[in-house]
Every structure is written in structure tokens, then in C-alpha cells.
């Protein structure tokens, strides 16, 4: 399967973001505060309704204490699985 | 330096995308065609004026024959350098 044919990349990324957030046991509000974005933005991303830019991807991963590389790597692995 | 304080993440990502494209010796038009996006979108990203979503990030990296993980890793390393 060509990775770009993946069913729904935004939803898969949203799941990954949510899993990483829950692994830290923090709320969407806390993650949004740490990343300097609006809580509704985090909520929409996790539901696959919105996607982050590179800048917000880096802010969100930094807020999770991981690299954006790790966040994207987990997403790509889940897309291919 | 906190990575999120980086001077201009969109410009840095644009430089990385451009370097990877030139390493393949392909035009913006060719990259855009392969990725299924508009040429002007590639041009604006490379100039730091636009940023890709996760979906277009994966399409662009796939078009370059590399993973989105590698594209983001190179960007993060350049931000920290």
C-alpha cells in the first residue's frame, strides 16, 4: 500500500497525539496550554478534523516532551500497520 | 534554546524541502506532480510562506522517496543547530 493512499492520515495522527497525551495523563487543556495553542485545536486534531502545521507539530511534541520526529515516526508506523 | 523559540520554523522546513528536492535534481513542478499538490504550494512552502499538513508532509516526503520522519528529523536537527 502506498503510504499516501492510507485511509485517513489525520485520524491516525490524532490517535497518536491522543495516545501520547494520555500516556502523560494530561488533559487536552493542559497539552494546549503547554503548546501555546487553543484547547479546541487539540480536540479537533485528536478527532482528525484538523491537522497541525510543522510549527504547531513541533510545539505539541515539545509540550509532550518528545521530538516531532518521534511523533511522525509513530504515525508513519501506524499508517503502514 | 527551546526548540519552539526557533527563529522561523517554516523557513527552515522550506530550506530542508528544497535541499531534498535539489538533491534529486527535480523541479518544483515535478515534485508537486509526484505529490499531487499544486506547484505554487511547493514554491510557497520552500519560501517559508506556507506549511504542509501531516497529509501533505507525507505526500511530499513520499514523492521525494524518503519518510516524513526523515524530513522532520532533518528539520529538527537544523532548528537546533
Amino acid at each position: 500500500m502506498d503510504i499516501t493512499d492510507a485511509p485517513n492520515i489525520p485520524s491516525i495522527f490524532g490517535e497518536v497525539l491522543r495516545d501520547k497525551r494520555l500516556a502523560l495523563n494530561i488533559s487536552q487543556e493542559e497539552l494546549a496550554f503547554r503548546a501555546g495553542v487553543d484547547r479546541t485545536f487539540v480536540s479537533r486534531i485528536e478527532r482528525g478534523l484538523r491537522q497541525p502545521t510543522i510549527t504547531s507539530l513541533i510545539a505539541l511534541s515539545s509540550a509532550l516532551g518528545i521530538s516531532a520526529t518521534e511523533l511522525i515516526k509513530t504515525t508513519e508506523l501506524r499508517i503502514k500497520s
Side-chain angles (χ1 to χ4, degrees), chain A residues 17-53:
Chain A
L17 184 68
R18 183 178 161 78
D19 292 349
K20 299 284 186 186
R21 175 175 64 80
L22 293 178
L24 291 180
N25 202 19
I26 60 172
S27 65
Q28 288 180 341
E29 203 137 23
E30 176 61 20
L31 175 58
F33 174 75
R34 293 185 189 184
V37 299
D38 192 82
R39 188 198 64 75
T40 56
F41 185 53
V42 171
S43 167
R44 288 198 184 103
I45 290 175
E46 288 191 357
R47 289 182 288 145
L49 302 176
R50 288 284 307 275
Q51 296 186 59
T53 59

